[in-house]
């Protein structure tokens, strides 16, 4: 029995389970294809973008050069945050008046880094959910199908025989296979994307730390404590 037959010939529960598995499969493959396009360069593009930034003469030159390497726009937000903090674009707001230059630059870089990480992590929860639940959804359809098949056979004359049981039960087991077919690609994609995202996240965090150390204001040495007067002996 095919998925189309399950959707058209099964009862309400079987059709609902098959439709849910079909929707989960479509959603997971949409996410897989989109994240494959987003991460097509992997860590290589991030490393090339960072190298191009440090080899640039000015921030404007760096932003221009990043367009050729940073196809997923993961490094450019940090450079834009650096320019934003340097020009005081939010003059007159709390962002521009509260804290010193290092604190303002930290806030800008943190916002840019979190935005890039949200893009990288988007879709991962869906893949994890599909990979964890699709086999159980398929198993639910199989159990319900076997129950319906046995109930139908019980009402027939002649009792149970192998030929009467094998067909309906075999058709019900298709739901378990369908659930596994939905779950396996989602789990594999989640693990592969997770490793790539972890490496990119580490590179972006290191780049943000280098930007803060290079363009922030160096800490001023603390003033020495006043000398205590020597006691005067009587």
């Amino acid at each position: 029995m095919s998925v189309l037959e399950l959707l058209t010939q099964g009862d309400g529960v079987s059709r609902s389970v098959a439709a849910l598995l079909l929707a989960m499969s479509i959603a997971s493959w949409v996410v897989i294809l989109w994240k494959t396009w987003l991460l097509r360069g992997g860590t290589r593009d991030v490393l090339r973008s960072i190298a191009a930034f440090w080899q640039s003469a000015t921030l404007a030159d760096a932003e221009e050069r990043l367009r050729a390497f940073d196809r997923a726009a993961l490094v450019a937000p940090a450079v834009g945050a650096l320019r934003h903090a340097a020009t005081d674009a939010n003059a007159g707001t709390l962002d521009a008046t509260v804290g010193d230059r290092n604190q303002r630059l930290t806030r800008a870089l943190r916002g840019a880094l979190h935005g890039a990480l949200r893009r990288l992590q988007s879709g991962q929860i869906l893949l994890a959910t599909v990979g964890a639940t699709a086999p159980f959804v398929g198993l639910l359809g199989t159990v319900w199908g076997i129950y319906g098949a046995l109930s139908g056979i019980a009402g027939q004359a002649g009792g149970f025989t192998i030929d009467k049981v094998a067909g309906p039960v075999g058709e019900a087991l298709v739901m378990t296979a369908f659930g596994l077919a939905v779950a396996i690609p989602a789990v594999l994609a989640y693990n592969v994307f997770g490793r790539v995202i972890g490496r990119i996240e580490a590179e972006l965090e290191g780049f943000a730390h280098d930007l803060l150390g290079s363009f922030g204001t160096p800490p001023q040495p603390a003033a020495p404590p006043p000398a205590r007067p020597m006691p005067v002996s009587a």
Side-chain angles (χ1 to χ4, degrees):
M1 180 178 289
S2 64
V3 177
L4 182 60
E5 292 174 342
L6 287 173
L7 290 172
T8 57
Q9 299 179 9
D11 57 9
V13 175
S14 298
R15 289 197 299 269
S16 299
V17 171
L20 178 59
L21 288 174
L22 182 61
M24 294 169 72
S25 178
I26 293 174
S28 63
W29 275 106
V30 168
V31 172
I32 290 171
L33 294 176
W34 174 73
K35 291 188 74 71
T36 300
W37 175 85
L38 177 66
L39 302 174
R40 60 193 182 280
T43 315
R44 180 186 59 187
D45 280 1
V46 175
L47 293 175
R48 293 173 66 186
S49 300
I50 294 174
F53 172 84
W54 292 116
Q55 293 171 4
S56 302
T58 62
L59 285 179
D61 182 38
E63 290 178 333
E64 183 67 26
R65 297 185 65 179
L66 284 179
R67 296 174 185 172
F69 301 104
D70 192 20
R71 294 179 294 180
L74 298 175
V75 179
V79 179
L82 183 63
R83 173 184 287 275
H84 180 81
T87 56
D88 291 332
N90 287 336
T93 64
L94 289 175
D95 184 38
T97 57
V98 175
D100 57 14
R101 175 182 172 84
N102 279 352
Q103 292 173 330
R104 294 194 298 271
L105 183 56
T106 299
R107 287 195 296 268
L109 290 174
R110 181 171 59 240
L113 181 61
H114 287 179
L117 294 182
R118 280 194 297 269
R119 291 187 60 208
L120 290 173
Q121 294 290 345
S122 59
Q124 288 293 97
I125 294 178
L126 186 143
L127 293 177
T129 302
V130 170
T133 59
F136 297 101
V137 175
L139 183 60
L140 172 63
T142 294
V143 172
W144 183 261
I146 292 176
Y147 168 75
L150 294 180
S151 298
I153 294 173
Q156 298 178 4
F160 287 92
T161 58
I162 294 298
D163 57 340
K164 291 182 179 180
V165 176
V169 172
E171 293 177 353
L173 291 175
V174 172
M175 296 297 290
T176 299
F178 187 23
L180 292 175
V182 173
I184 290 174
V187 172
L188 293 177
Y190 175 83
N191 291 331
V192 172
F193 293 150
R195 293 191 62 181
V196 176
I197 291 171
R199 291 196 294 265
I200 293 176
E201 181 178 353
E203 295 296 337
L204 292 178
E205 289 179 350
F207 180 57
H209 184 270
D210 291 341
L211 290 179
L212 182 60
S214 300
F215 293 89
T217 303
Q220 300 296 326
R228 298 179 60 184
M230 296 293 293
V232 179
S233 27

